[in-house]
Amino acid sequence: MLLQQNWVSPLWAWQSLGKPFLLFVFLMLQTADLEARRGHQFVWKTGHWGRCIGDCGSGGVRSRAVWCTHAEGWTTFHANCDQQDKPESQRRCFKVCDWHLELFEWEVSGWDRCGLVPAAGAEAGAEVCVTAQHGLQRRSVRCLQKLNRTVVSSEICEYFTPQPPAEQACLVPCPRDCVVSQFSGWSPCGTGCAKSLQHRTRAVIAPPLYGGAPCPNLTESRACGAPACPLGEEEHTYSLHVGPWGECRLPHPKDVRLAERTMLDLGSDSGERSTSGLPGSHPHHHAGEVEIGYQTRQVRCVRSDGKHAALSLCLQDPVPMTSKSCVIPKDCAPSEWSPWSPCSRSCGWGSLTPGFRSRRRSVRSVAVGAGKPCPELEEREACSTGGKAPLQPCPRFAWRTSEWKACQVSLLLDQQDPRHQKQAGLCGGGIQTRVVYCVQILVELGTHRLKEVARPVDGKLCQGPAPATSQLCHLPCPAECAVSSWSPWGPCLPESCQHRHGGRGFRMRQRQVVVDPVGTLAGCPHLVESIPCEDARCHEWVVSEGVCVTDRGKCGPGHRVLKAVCKSRKGEEVPHHLCSELPRPEVVACEVPCARDCVVSEWSPWSPCSHSCSSKNTEGSQSRSRSILALPAEGGKACPPERALQEQRACNEHPCVHFFWEASPWSSCSEDVLGTALNTTISWSREATCGVGIQTRKVFCMKSSSGQVTPKRCPESMRPEAVRPCLLPCRKDCVVTLFSEWTPCPTACQPGNATAVKQSRYRIILQDSASGGQACPDTLYEERECEDVPTCPVYRWKSHRWSPCVLVPEPVRQGLPGQSEACGHGLQSRAVTCLSEQGGSAAVGDCVQWAGAMPALVQECLIPCKDDCTFTPWSKFTACSSDCDTTRSRRRSLTGRSRKRDKCQNTEVYPQVETEPCPCEVFTSQPHGNWSDCIIRGRPSELQPGMPSQGVARECGEGVRLRAIACYDRTGRLVEPSRCSSSGYIEEPCTVPCPFDCKLSDWSSWSPCSSSCGPGVRVRSKWLKEKPYNGGRPCPKLDLKNQAQVHEAVPCYSECNQYSWEVEPWSPCKINSEQNSLHCGEGIQTRKVRCVSTAEDHGMETVPSALCNQAEVPEAVQKCSLYCPSECAVSDWGQWSPCPQVCDPNIMQTRTRQVLRSPVSSKPCPEDSQMKPCILNQNCFQYQYNLTGWSGCQLGANATCGHGERRRLLSCRRSDGATVSMQLCQRLHLEKPVPTSSRCMVGCAVDCQLSPWSAWSQCSHTCGAGGWTVWRWIASPEPHVCSA
């Protein structure tokens, strides 16, 4: 409820009125609210529809505001308006995107005729037209979807181009009124006394145009002023009434004169007339004879008052005939029926379906006149065998298939792009095919056991849908072997550790297989390399030095005791006797500096070797150094010279040539003739075994620089095996079906001049041969000519001479008015007999069946009357020239008395010359009806499912379309279409546009890994190359961030210690001599820091500093102390002791240093130990494995779809979030997360599979222009989308 005014009550009102007043106000407002709603004072209002937002296509949505307002204009709550009438605030719409430009277009029709526009408010005749007047013409403008030509919203096309105008102004010529002639004179009135009318007419000279005045009446009538007729003498009109023709009958015997009637017996082959007795005495006539009788009709004169009048009052010229000759009708006479044929049902399968039997009859004599035509000559009826003996079971049919053929990726690529280039090494998703055929299944009588006949039959016999002829398959993509980098060179080891003494041996390094090879013959490269060495030992002494013990006093000369331990190459302590003699000497001289002596630090560890091997130009070396810690006082032992502070030695002196075993690829599996593999025990899982064979390969020792060398140069213990057992592949013979039955030869007879009819049969390969099995036969299709094809018999009709003209009998003629003379129109008949090919007599039925239509038995004839004009017969037509525009003529002349009669001389009525255009074989054709669909040539229309198809039917491209033609001769008469064209239709080339999918470029090369340490990403892209058209597969959505159509990122891993900081020894401690005359105390020392590649093939090569971890750059400058003479001198600090694996602040980390020279004074030495707690992420770190997310599904290089692999990467992460070397996690033996790779699937886009085309249907019309149709069905196993 909405309060329109603010109800403000002063205190006195509240106190005086109180609660009853408020209740009253509330009730009043409620009542007003209801009244307002009843009176429709609240109405819904809407805003304009907004833009279409959402996904491209029909998934868009547009919105508008909807609010409720009072009739006075103020807005209120929605509840006040009627909710049932609430307008919608959202509706679906078509979101147009840029790529829709290819899919939609404006369709514009031609302009209509220019029509006049009535001027609003203009008075008639107000404006006089001078030359032309303003008009308007319109046309249809629609937005169409190109693919199926359906009309869509205009907004879609307007997104790209403005809507073309649908109206335009035009000029119409000035209106032209109708122009008529003057009236003719009035027609004369009748002379009698009857009322009558007289008329007059006029004609149109010019019709009205451009909106001119219409034509007036063209006729007028008026009554004649005739006197009234005396009583009884009224004038009458007379009309002639002609009755129907009576039945055709023979004349009475007494009417027949000696000029007997002519009878023709159609059964005889004689053309002579046979005279019979009186026809009335022959109630039964021979079959096929033609009898000519007569028929009459009544002609009466009737007056306008209905009374009969004398015929002379109605007579007109010519007088209607009252009698004429006719043919006595005779019905067609068939022969007796032949006996019934045996029942067609020769088998049964539990059902009571009947069989059929038939019988035939032939024509004995044809129908004559209006006699009944011949009835059906063949009759069929249902039948049952009736016997008690069980019927042989009927055959059943079932679909069968061959084995799947090999997977072919190119078949799938052909579907996606018919223009794609054939490539080698394709893999991934593909299509494999098989042959589907129909077989007959017999049921053995009495046992109901099914027995299959392995020969294909016509696919129409199999019921139900045929199995799929193709399916998706996967061809594994070859994967190259991937190996890790080489390990460092191992120690010099003998071939066998049974010998204690040193001798010839090998130093070795290994690498591991990271990715196993798939489908490649190459296999993996060698995994072990060796270098011969001379001092090969399995065990050696490891010597450590003890503390320097002075010979006397606290300082001065002393000695160290050497401690030797015998250790194996693995670092394990072993009994002393396994090592050779103890190293000499056992005691080494040393010196503890006295208070005034120079103090020098211990030697640093040896630096890494600069090269992994030595050659002419490069030699491995390593160095160590020591520094001066304290200067001597007067009389003390001096410091060593600077050159004595550094030492160098050679390392990795072995040559850079290494040796390795190389093996050829394994041979194919062959039979083990020598029994090599009999002793090996192997377990094969889930494979059909056809025996165990062997595979062999050759093994060579190779030198890295010069190729094959003697096997002694390689370690025998690492020699790869040259023989291994394998499973022999099972031998597969080719399996083919039996040949199908020969296609039936025609049972109907063939014309004698027809080409030889052939029959064929085929068989189908069910299984191809493999592993040396029996090969498939060459012949899968056979053809032969049909034998004993019946030739159609040849019969012909023979026509005999026409009989004399037979008129109506004289007594009948004389009894009728106006027909006394024996002349006029009559009928004449002839005999037509049937002859065999040899000319002998044959039955009429044979000619009816084989000789076509029977020639006419009766024709009209004319006997001229004595008053008629008589002529000689027409002469032959004159000859025609070759020119089509010439004419030909024929003549006749008057005979007898006619030559003297004036009326016969009138050549307009009785022409004596006839001229006509020469018959000219010129026919013109006009298109009739619409064009057919575009028919692609090469459709295997006659194939049925189950029949082998030769080649693949094309679905698009060049074809033809057909259009029926109407053929006319020169006179404009419609004639057979074959006169204009052999086919009866015209054809023209057409194109069914092939759909072309969106084309993208090939993948770009992978970018470098985005991280130099730990996991990163590598990226590759594809760009748009060609837009889709004609309904091709659309492009993926543009990746705007990367400006590429398809963007793919995969995880990558960079080993963290590929690059490391290398430091040179610290320089001597430099004291600022200007401020310090003693040259001791606090100073600065420096060292060089560089980033080097630790890869073995780079040999500590300096690389840009950015490649090393910037957070761990070693210091290049540090403070140092050079102890002054007589001061206490201490060593550098040692390493901090390690923190536990789990950081605990209660556990302390310590480091120590030693006093190297005691002080002269009593000044104490600095501290010799330090402690600090193990605090997480400061001086104590924890480590764990970390997994990246899954990559996209990665296919092989030559695959477009199918099985792929997705990967995620493992890295080692420190507790402060830094990615560190994997070795830190490996040392802790942490559990690795699995899996790091898994199978995945990229779906294959497979085109809809359609059956072959059916045969063409019958024409839809038996007469005139019709059409044929052809059809097919969807044969895909999955419901793919099919185009029309």
Side-chain angles (χ1 to χ4, degrees):
M1 182 182 74
L2 188 78
L3 294 178
Q4 194 51 15
Q5 293 90 5
N6 291 320
W7 291 90
V8 182
S9 304
L11 182 64
W12 64 266
W14 169 249
Q15 287 172 344
S16 61
L17 296 174
K19 292 177 185 176
F21 176 73
L22 270 185
L23 182 64
F24 170 74
V25 170
F26 176 76
L27 289 171
M28 286 293 291
L29 283 171
Q30 286 279 46
T31 310
D33 184 38
L34 287 169
E35 287 299 318
R37 288 196 207 180
R38 278 194 209 108
H40 301 291
Q41 293 186 10
F42 294 104
V43 290
W44 291 107
K45 287 283 178 73
T46 59
H48 293 297
W49 285 108
R51 280 189 314 112
C52 194
I53 57 172
D55 293 334
C56 291
S58 54
V61 174
R62 60 168 39 137
S63 311
R64 65 177 175 183
V66 175
W67 65 94
C68 182
T69 63
H70 190 268
E72 294 173 5
W74 40 269
T75 306
T76 177
F77 300 119
H78 279 210
N80 287 326
C81 285
D82 189 348
Q83 297 301 308
Q84 291 180 345
D85 298 336
K86 185 176 180 180
E88 58 179 354
S89 61
Q90 275 196 343
R91 66 163 58 155
R92 298 286 291 277
C93 58
F94 190 95
K95 175 74 183 331
V96 186
C97 295
D98 289 340
W99 56 271
H100 285 134
L101 175 61
E102 305 292 334
L103 303 181
F104 300 96
E105 66 178 1
W106 289 112
E107 183 196 60
V108 181
S109 69
W111 290 106
D112 290 345
R113 205 163 51 79
C114 192
L116 278 174
V117 181
E123 293 181 15
E127 288 184 24
V128 178
C129 178
V130 180
T131 54
Q133 49 196 342
H134 290 291
L136 192 68
Q137 55 187 156
R138 295 179 174 85
R139 64 179 176 181
S140 136
V141 177
R142 304 185 301 170
C143 183
L144 293 188
Q145 186 176 346
K146 289 184 188 176
L147 186 61
N148 52 14
R149 309 303 292 172
T150 53
V151 181
V152 296
S153 167
S154 296
E155 291 176 13
I156 297 175
C157 291
E158 282 174 352
Y159 183 85
F160 305 109
T161 52
Q163 180 169 349
E167 292 183 347
Q168 73 175 13
C170 56
L171 290 174
V172 184
C174 290
R176 202 171 80 194
D177 298 342
C178 178
V179 180
V180 292
S181 65
Q182 295 294 320
F183 271 115
S184 64
W186 289 103
S187 63
C189 281
T191 53
C193 58
K195 299 276 187 200
S196 63
L197 293 173
Q198 58 180 161
H199 312 279
R200 66 176 182 176
T201 60
R202 57 183 169 183
V204 174
I205 296 172
L209 288 175
Y210 315 121
C215 295
N217 285 338
L218 300 176
T219 59
E220 282 185 357
S221 304
R222 70 180 180 188
C224 289
C229 294
L231 195 63
E233 293 184 17
E234 299 90 355
E235 286 198 356
H236 294 283
T237 56
Y238 298 91
S239 55
L240 198 64
H241 281 216
V242 180
W245 287 107
E247 169 187 358
C248 190
R249 54 189 176 184
L250 289 170
H252 197 266
K254 68 179 184 197
D255 298 336
V256 181
R257 301 213 176 154
L258 288 178
E260 297 125 359
R261 63 185 170 80
T262 306
M263 289 186 36
L264 293 123
D265 186 355
L266 293 181
S268 71
D269 60 349
S270 160
E272 295 174 4
R273 280 181 251 161
S274 57
T275 56
S276 66
L278 298 177
S281 63
H282 288 275
H284 304 293
H285 299 289
H286 298 297
E289 63 182 24
V290 176
E291 292 181 303
I292 294 175
Y294 70 96
Q295 55 190 150
T296 58
R297 63 180 174 184
Q298 261 192 339
V299 176
R300 292 179 297 132
C301 187
V302 180
R303 208 167 66 178
S304 53
D305 60 358
K307 293 182 179 175
H308 289 268
L311 197 57
S312 58
L313 294 172
C314 284
L315 280 184
Q316 58 188 49
D317 200 23
V319 181
M321 284 180 5
T322 54
S323 65
K324 66 174 182 180
S325 299
C326 57
V327 177
I328 302 289
K330 285 220 172 89
D331 297 342
C332 171
S335 66
E336 294 299 320
W337 286 107
S338 67
W340 285 105
S341 67
C343 196
S344 64
R345 187 165 180 254
S346 57
C347 66
W349 180 246
S351 67
L352 299 173
T353 51
F356 289 94
R357 61 178 186 170
S358 61
R359 60 179 182 174
R360 293 184 61 84
R361 56 184 172 182
S362 61
V363 175
R364 283 204 180 139
S365 63
V366 293
V368 175
K372 283 185 192 170
C374 293
E376 288 293 327
L377 299 177
E378 186 176 10
E379 197 172 63
R380 291 180 77 199
E381 70 173 15
C383 62
S384 59
T385 49
K388 295 287 178 83
L391 289 172
Q392 179 72 26
C394 288
R396 287 160 54 169
F397 300 94
W399 292 110
R400 292 289 178 265
T401 62
S402 69
E403 67 173 2
W404 288 107
K405 291 190 167 50
C407 190
Q408 284 185 280
V409 180
S410 57
L411 288 179
L412 187 63
L413 295 180
D414 281 337
Q415 284 188 3
Q416 294 170 4
D417 181 8
R419 304 175 294 179
H420 90 277
Q421 304 297 315
K422 302 292 181 215
Q423 301 169 16
L426 292 171
C427 62
I431 290 178
Q432 57 187 161
T433 58
R434 62 180 175 182
V435 179
V436 175
Y437 62 102
C438 183
V439 296
Q440 177 180 338
I441 298 174
L442 296 175
V443 182
E444 294 183 358
L445 195 59
T447 63
H448 283 258
R449 272 201 318 241
L450 300 177
K451 178 186 169 190
E452 193 165 303
V453 180
R455 80 167 76 243
V457 296
D458 189 345
K460 287 187 285 193
L461 298 170
C462 275
Q463 300 295 313
T469 57
S470 64
Q471 70 175 10
L472 283 173
C473 55
H474 180 76
L475 207 59
C477 287
E480 300 294 330
C481 180
V483 291
S484 66
S485 51
W486 288 108
S487 67
W489 287 102
C492 187
L493 290 173
E495 282 275 30
S496 165
C497 278
Q498 293 167 354
H499 312 290
R500 293 184 199 171
H501 306 295
R504 186 174 175 276
F506 294 95
R507 298 183 68 188
M508 287 187 243
R509 64 175 183 175
Q510 282 94 17
R511 56 184 174 183
Q512 282 80 39
V513 174
V514 179
V515 177
D516 285 315
V518 176
T520 56
L521 292 171
C524 285
H526 59 279
L527 302 175
V528 179
E529 285 186 346
S530 60
I531 301 169
C533 56
E534 294 305 321
D535 192 18
R537 296 174 185 276
C538 290
H539 308 94
E540 62 180 355
W541 292 107
V542 176
V543 178
S544 57
E545 295 179 348
V547 181
C548 190
V549 180
T550 53
D551 293 338
R552 59 178 178 276
K554 287 188 176 180
C555 64
H559 64 273
R560 295 178 194 269
V561 178
L562 296 181
K563 187 183 178 187
V565 179
C566 185
K567 287 191 175 182
S568 71
R569 288 298 193 188
K570 293 180 182 175
E572 298 162 350
E573 200 169 324
V574 293
H576 285 54
H577 69 272
L578 293 175
C579 284
S580 54
E581 298 172 12
L582 269 169
R584 295 280 179 246
E586 293 183 5
V587 176
V588 178
C590 63
E591 190 169 346
V592 175
C594 291
R596 292 176 175 278
D597 293 347
C598 174
V599 180
V600 182
S601 69
E602 296 286 332
W603 285 107
S604 67
W606 288 103
S607 67
C609 196
S610 62
H611 290 86
S612 58
C613 59
S614 298
S615 65
K616 288 176 185 176
N617 304 323
T618 56
E619 201 171 52
S621 65
Q622 54 189 160
S623 61
R624 66 177 182 172
S625 62
R626 55 184 180 168
S627 58
I628 295 168
L629 298 176
L631 296 174
E634 282 186 33
K637 194 172 181 182
C639 289
E642 195 171 334
R643 67 176 179 276
L645 296 175
Q646 291 207 344
E647 276 186 1
Q648 265 195 329
R649 70 177 184 188
C651 58
N652 286 344
E653 294 172 76
H654 56 265
C656 287
V657 175
H658 34 262
F659 300 89
F660 54 88
W661 291 109
E662 185 82 30
S664 65
W666 288 106
S667 67
S668 57
C669 199
S670 58
E671 288 187 32
D672 185 8
V673 183
L674 303 173
T676 320
L678 289 177
N679 299 329
T680 52
T681 55
I682 41 177
S683 61
W684 308 96
S685 60
R686 302 192 309 277
E687 289 192 47
T689 56
C690 292
V692 177
I694 57 165
Q695 284 178 289
T696 58
R697 63 178 176 178
K698 291 179 179 175
V699 177
F700 322 95
C701 178
M702 303 293 287
K703 185 178 179 182
S704 60
S705 57
S706 58
Q708 190 174 341
V709 293
T710 174
K712 290 179 185 175
R713 308 290 292 275
C714 292
E716 190 62 33
S717 59
M718 294 290 165
R719 187 184 188 119
E721 60 180 350
V723 179
R724 71 176 180 188
C726 56
L727 274 181
L728 283 168
C730 293
R731 175 188 147 128
K732 271 170 69 178
D733 292 337
C734 176
V735 179
V736 292
T737 62
L738 298 174
F739 269 111
S740 65
E741 298 287 354
W742 288 103
T743 52
C745 284
T747 50
C749 65
Q750 300 295 308
N753 56 356
T755 54
V757 183
K758 292 185 176 178
Q759 57 180 166
S760 61
R761 62 178 186 171
Y762 64 94
R763 52 183 170 180
I764 295 165
I765 296 175
L766 301 181
Q767 173 182 290
D768 283 309
S769 62
S771 306
Q774 185 178 343
C776 290
D778 292 333
T779 309
L780 298 174
Y781 179 82
E782 287 184 349
E783 214 174 39
R784 69 180 185 191
E785 286 192 6
C786 285
E787 295 177 0
D788 305 326
V789 178
T791 306
C792 295
V794 178
Y795 291 96
R796 59 187 175 85
W797 293 108
K798 183 185 176 185
S799 303
H800 300 272
R801 279 185 307 149
W802 289 108
S803 70
C805 201
V806 179
L807 300 174
V808 177
E810 192 180 336
V812 176
R813 205 171 52 247
Q814 285 176 346
L816 293 170
Q819 289 182 347
S820 56
E821 192 182 346
C823 64
H825 290 276
L827 292 177
Q828 58 185 160
S829 61
R830 65 176 174 183
V832 176
T833 53
C834 182
L835 298 182
S836 67
E837 192 174 4
Q838 292 76 27
S841 178
V844 173
D846 293 331
C847 278
V848 169
Q849 188 174 358
W850 303 109
M854 186 180 189
L857 292 171
V858 180
Q859 73 175 12
E860 284 194 356
C861 53
L862 178 70
I863 296 177
C865 299
K866 64 182 178 211
D867 287 338
D868 289 348
C869 298
T870 56
F871 296 90
T872 58
W874 284 106
S875 68
K876 287 184 178 177
F877 275 109
T878 56
C880 277
S881 66
S882 58
D883 187 7
C884 267
D885 292 330
T886 55
T887 56
R888 62 178 186 174
S889 58
R890 62 177 183 173
R891 294 178 173 278
R892 65 178 179 178
S893 52
L894 294 162
T895 58
R897 296 179 189 163
S898 300
R899 284 180 293 192
K900 295 177 182 174
R901 291 198 180 123
D902 290 339
K903 74 168 185 177
C904 296
Q905 303 291 339
N906 185 350
T907 54
E908 284 187 12
V909 182
Y910 301 106
Q912 296 184 26
V913 178
E914 267 186 353
T915 303
E916 66 177 17
C918 281
C920 184
E921 293 294 310
V922 171
F923 301 99
T924 53
S925 62
Q926 284 185 2
H928 184 83
N930 297 324
W931 285 104
S932 72
D933 293 333
C934 193
I935 299 161
I936 306 297
R937 294 292 194 205
R939 288 176 171 172
S941 58
E942 69 285 345
L943 291 179
Q944 297 295 333
M947 298 287 282
S949 170
Q950 308 296 319
V952 179
R954 292 188 299 117
E955 298 298 333
C956 62
E958 296 300 318
V960 292
R961 58 179 191 161
L962 311 176
R963 194 176 184 186
I965 55 170
C967 188
Y968 300 93
D969 63 11
R970 282 176 65 84
T971 62
R973 273 188 320 116
L974 203 59
V975 294
E976 274 292 318
S978 57
R979 297 284 185 89
C980 290
S981 153
S982 58
S983 57
Y985 50 81
I986 47 176
E987 65 177 60
E988 72 173 20
C990 58
T991 303
V992 174
C994 292
F996 285 108
D997 300 341
C998 173
K999 284 283 181 335
L1000 300 180
S1001 66
D1002 293 332
W1003 283 112
S1004 64
S1005 52
W1006 286 106
S1007 67
C1009 197
S1010 62
S1011 167
S1012 59
C1013 168
V1017 287
R1018 291 189 304 150
V1019 176
R1020 64 176 183 172
S1021 306
K1022 285 185 177 186
W1023 290 272
L1024 179 64
K1025 202 171 168 185
E1026 207 174 303
K1027 285 187 175 181
Y1029 53 98
N1030 296 334
R1033 294 185 177 96
C1035 293
K1037 210 169 180 179
L1038 182 68
D1039 184 343
L1040 294 171
K1041 182 182 171 189
N1042 298 285
Q1043 287 301 309
Q1045 208 75 32
V1046 176
H1047 168 82
E1048 190 172 65
V1050 295
C1052 55
Y1053 186 84
S1054 300
E1055 191 55 55
C1056 287
N1057 54 7
Q1058 284 185 79
Y1059 306 101
S1060 63
W1061 295 109
E1062 189 192 53
V1063 291
E1064 293 185 7
W1066 287 106
S1067 67
C1069 196
K1070 286 185 179 177
I1071 309 298
N1072 192 336
S1073 55
E1074 293 174 8
Q1075 298 172 359
N1076 191 337
S1077 59
L1078 292 173
H1079 301 293
C1080 64
E1082 292 278 327
I1084 285 175
Q1085 61 184 159
T1086 59
R1087 62 179 174 181
K1088 284 187 179 175
V1089 176
R1090 64 193 180 112
C1091 181
V1092 296
S1093 167
T1094 54
E1096 184 258 337
D1097 51 348
H1098 288 152
M1100 306 297 280
E1101 177 189 336
T1102 303
V1103 293
S1105 297
L1107 294 172
C1108 286
N1109 189 349
Q1110 299 302 308
E1112 297 175 2
V1113 185
E1115 295 291 339
V1117 179
Q1118 72 174 10
K1119 286 183 180 179
C1120 58
S1121 293
L1122 196 58
Y1123 297 109
C1124 292
S1126 309
E1127 271 186 344
C1128 179
V1130 292
S1131 69
D1132 289 333
W1133 286 108
Q1135 294 290 323
W1136 285 102
S1137 64
C1139 279
Q1141 193 167 336
V1142 178
C1143 297
D1144 183 356
N1146 299 316
I1147 296 174
M1148 308 302 279
Q1149 194 179 20
T1150 60
R1151 67 176 179 174
T1152 59
R1153 57 184 174 182
Q1154 286 77 43
V1155 174
L1156 298 177
R1157 183 180 75 176
S1158 300
V1160 174
S1161 64
S1162 60
K1163 189 179 179 183
C1165 287
E1167 62 177 347
D1168 61 353
S1169 71
Q1170 286 180 341
M1171 296 175 74
K1172 62 178 177 182
C1174 290
I1175 296 173
L1176 183 67
N1177 295 340
Q1178 283 185 14
N1179 59 336
C1180 177
F1181 295 97
Q1182 290 175 350
Y1183 300 92
Q1184 65 180 29
Y1185 282 116
N1186 181 54
L1187 275 175
T1188 64
W1190 286 110
S1191 71
C1193 197
Q1194 297 295 296
L1195 298 171
N1198 288 335
T1200 56
C1201 62
H1203 295 295
E1205 184 184 41
R1206 58 181 190 154
R1207 290 184 294 129
R1208 52 185 181 177
L1209 291 180
L1210 205 57
S1211 61
C1212 186
R1213 182 178 284 184
R1214 205 163 64 183
S1215 50
D1216 63 350
T1219 300
V1220 293
S1221 173
M1222 289 286 282
Q1223 292 171 354
L1224 291 166
C1225 285
Q1226 288 164 355
R1227 282 180 204 150
L1228 296 170
H1229 303 294
L1230 300 175
E1231 186 180 346
K1232 288 186 180 179
V1234 286
T1236 54
S1237 69
S1238 73
R1239 291 280 291 278
C1240 56
M1241 189 78 185
V1242 175
C1244 295
V1246 182
D1247 286 354
C1248 174
Q1249 299 290 307
L1250 298 169
S1251 74
W1253 287 101
S1254 69
W1256 288 104
S1257 69
Q1258 295 292 318
C1259 190
S1260 59
H1261 291 69
T1262 54
C1263 163
W1268 304 293
T1269 52
V1270 66
W1271 55 276
R1272 55 183 174 175
W1273 64 92
I1274 297 174
S1276 294
E1278 297 91 13
H1280 299 297
V1281 177
C1282 288
S1283 61

